[in-house]
Amino acid sequence: MITKSRKKLHIVCIAVCLIVLIAAVWLLGRLFEPKYMSGVLEGAMTAEYYDEVTPHDVVFIGDCEVYENFSPVTMWEEQGITSYIRGSAQQLIWQSYYLLEEVFERESPKVVVYNVQSMKYDEPQSEAYNRMTLDGMPLSKIKLDAIKASMTEDEELISYLVPLLRYHSRWSELSAEDFEYIFSRDKVTVAGYLMRADVKPMTKLPAAPVLEDVTIGDTCWEYLDKIRETCDANGATLILIKSPSLWPHWYDEWDEQISDYANKYGLDYINFLPLSDDIGIDMQTDTYDGGLHLNVYGAQKLSAYFAKLLSEDYGVPDRRDDADISADWAEKTGAYYELLAAQKAELEEYGYLKSWTLGE
């Protein structure tokens, strides 16, 4: 009996030690991983989607050309459209696909909007950008597949599953921010939109680099097929777009390939670049970084224009008569204008946005 009791006690002690060890590794991982509450805010965006409480009729996927150029609050105010931007810095098309898979597990949007700029990348690019997109996803098969598709040669899957293995070297960089936001973080976007209220006019558009090969790669087409097929399977209309950002350069050859794909599968492809004048976009007033991205004033113009198209041409409904949805969007709208006021105040006081940094 004594021997059996000791064995049980030994097993319990081992189990307790394992639990404590796992808890310590998890807690230290939370402490050491970047919080993205200052500096590069883009790393905090992915996780914000999971806090959404009402469904969206329109979901955007893509890189900075969606999350900095479209304002869901403007689309709500103009047409009563509910939308969310599942964007992230240098979001590659396979990441867009897996984020979209998550969307369809949670809700049923009527329209999916994919910005095609990232189709210039046919293979993994950067661990730092991978982390900003993938770390915020909850653990699931979808996340594992997204990690495997995204990893560069020097990355290891286990480092995504146990963040302490990747971020332990940050011990010398820890700040008060790391302790303050160890369990929860402030929102940096409004419905996925990352706002900038400052103005930096476009002066001279850089010359387009000469590319040896302007053929869009097979991997991109493979994942665009997956996005299209997933939308079809879930009854969603897929719209391909190119936002009106002037830089990086969008080559005519890329545009022709996207147009051919859209025609082949009966999709709509909207290139907003030649529509800039119709939209009213002025790169002397509507950009914060010389034409790479729109500021809030340009985003509002583009969003009002697109919202009208979505309402009139795609039948996206006006949800302003729904009490629960309206209450949720009243909160989002309040947060939007509070953020705009805060940025305007900083611009007036300092002449620049002290608390916000450049996007992608």
Side-chain angles (χ1 to χ4, degrees):
M1 294 294 294
I2 295 176
T3 301
K4 289 183 178 180
S5 298
R6 286 179 176 174
K7 284 183 177 179
K8 289 182 179 179
L9 180 60
H10 185 64
I11 292 172
V12 169
C13 289
I14 291 175
V16 170
C17 289
L18 285 174
I19 292 171
V20 171
L21 177 62
I22 292 170
V25 170
W26 176 81
L27 184 62
L28 288 172
R30 296 283 299 189
L31 175 63
F32 283 100
E33 66 185 0
K35 306 306 184 293
Y36 302 111
M37 290 290 96
S38 60
V40 184
L41 301 177
E42 287 88 341
M45 296 193 303
T46 296
E48 293 186 353
Y49 171 71
Y50 311 105
D51 295 329
E52 290 294 291
V53 296
T54 59
H56 312 93
D57 286 317
V58 178
V59 171
F60 293 80
I61 49 175
D63 55 16
C64 52
E65 292 199 0
V66 288
Y67 71 74
E68 297 201 80
N69 289 357
F70 289 90
S71 165
V73 165
T74 299
M75 295 174 66
W76 169 258
E77 290 183 321
E78 291 288 325
Q79 302 290 340
I81 290 174
T82 59
S83 63
Y84 196 92
I85 302 172
R86 292 226 70 187
S88 56
Q90 201 185 78
Q91 185 180 112
L92 304 173
I93 188 169
W94 43 91
Q95 295 167 348
S96 299
Y97 167 68
Y98 289 114
L99 290 172
L100 182 61
E101 273 203 320
E102 279 192 333
V103 168
F104 283 122
E105 283 198 343
R106 299 170 63 89
E107 57 179 318
S108 301
K110 297 180 180 299
V111 173
V112 171
V113 181
Y114 173 61
N115 187 77
V116 297
Q117 175 71 34
S118 65
M119 290 191 69
K120 63 183 180 179
Y121 299 115
D122 196 52
E123 57 186 31
Q125 297 293 306
S126 162
E127 181 192 2
Y129 284 120
N130 286 345
R131 294 281 176 176
M132 284 191 277
T133 297
L134 303 173
D135 280 352
M137 298 173 68
L139 183 60
S140 67
K141 182 182 183 302
I142 292 175
K143 179 173 182 173
L144 292 175
D145 289 341
I147 293 169
K148 292 174 184 176
S150 302
M151 287 190 304
T152 60
E153 291 183 358
D154 297 330
E155 295 183 78
E156 296 181 355
L157 176 63
I158 188 65
S159 69
Y160 282 90
L161 306 180
V162 186
L164 182 61
L165 296 177
R166 175 63 182 85
Y167 296 120
H168 63 88
S169 60
R170 287 192 69 243
W171 67 269
S172 60
E173 304 171 11
L174 293 180
S175 65
E177 177 180 293
D178 289 294
F179 291 90
E180 180 181 357
Y181 296 107
I182 188 170
F183 295 118
S184 63
R185 299 174 190 177
D186 297 334
K187 284 190 176 295
V188 301
T189 74
V190 180
Y193 169 58
L194 191 63
M195 181 185 295
R196 289 291 297 237
D198 45 339
V199 178
K200 181 182 178 181
M202 184 190 72
T203 52
K204 182 180 179 181
L205 188 64
V210 177
L211 301 183
E212 293 182 4
D213 187 0
V214 290
T215 303
I216 294 175
D218 291 340
T219 302
C220 289
W221 294 122
E222 174 190 347
Y223 277 94
L224 187 56
D225 283 341
K226 288 176 179 287
I227 290 173
R228 174 178 53 80
E229 291 164 0
T230 299
C231 288
D232 287 345
N234 287 276
T237 298
L238 174 62
I239 303 175
L240 306 178
I241 66 165
K242 170 63 186 75
S243 85
S245 294
L246 295 178
W247 185 256
H249 187 75
W250 180 244
Y251 292 85
D252 291 340
E253 292 86 351
W254 290 344
D255 200 65
E256 291 171 5
Q257 292 171 72
I258 298 297
S259 295
D260 289 344
Y261 183 93
N263 290 333
K264 179 178 179 179
Y265 292 105
L267 302 177
D268 285 343
Y269 168 47
I270 306 172
N271 184 347
F272 286 109
L273 277 166
L275 298 174
S276 293
D277 289 342
D278 294 338
I279 297 168
I281 292 173
D282 181 351
M283 285 301 183
Q284 298 304 301
T285 58
D286 294 333
T287 176
Y288 74 86
D289 54 5
L292 276 77
H293 310 94
L294 300 178
N295 59 23
V296 66
Y297 311 108
Q300 288 174 166
K301 292 176 181 178
L302 178 59
S303 301
Y305 183 92
F306 192 39
K308 185 176 180 182
L309 286 180
L310 290 171
S311 175
E312 295 179 355
D313 296 350
Y314 296 92
V316 178
D318 185 333
R319 301 291 188 184
R320 284 174 288 193
D321 289 337
D322 185 302
D324 291 337
I325 291 177
S326 289
D328 180 44
W329 280 89
E331 290 186 15
K332 288 181 169 68
T333 301
Y336 179 90
Y337 286 108
E338 182 178 335
L339 179 58
L340 181 56
Q343 292 199 4
K344 286 182 175 180
E346 279 204 1
L347 288 169
E348 184 174 350
E349 181 175 358
Y350 301 107
Y352 69 99
L353 290 181
K354 186 177 181 180
S355 303
W356 289 266
T357 59
L358 286 176
E360 181 187 336

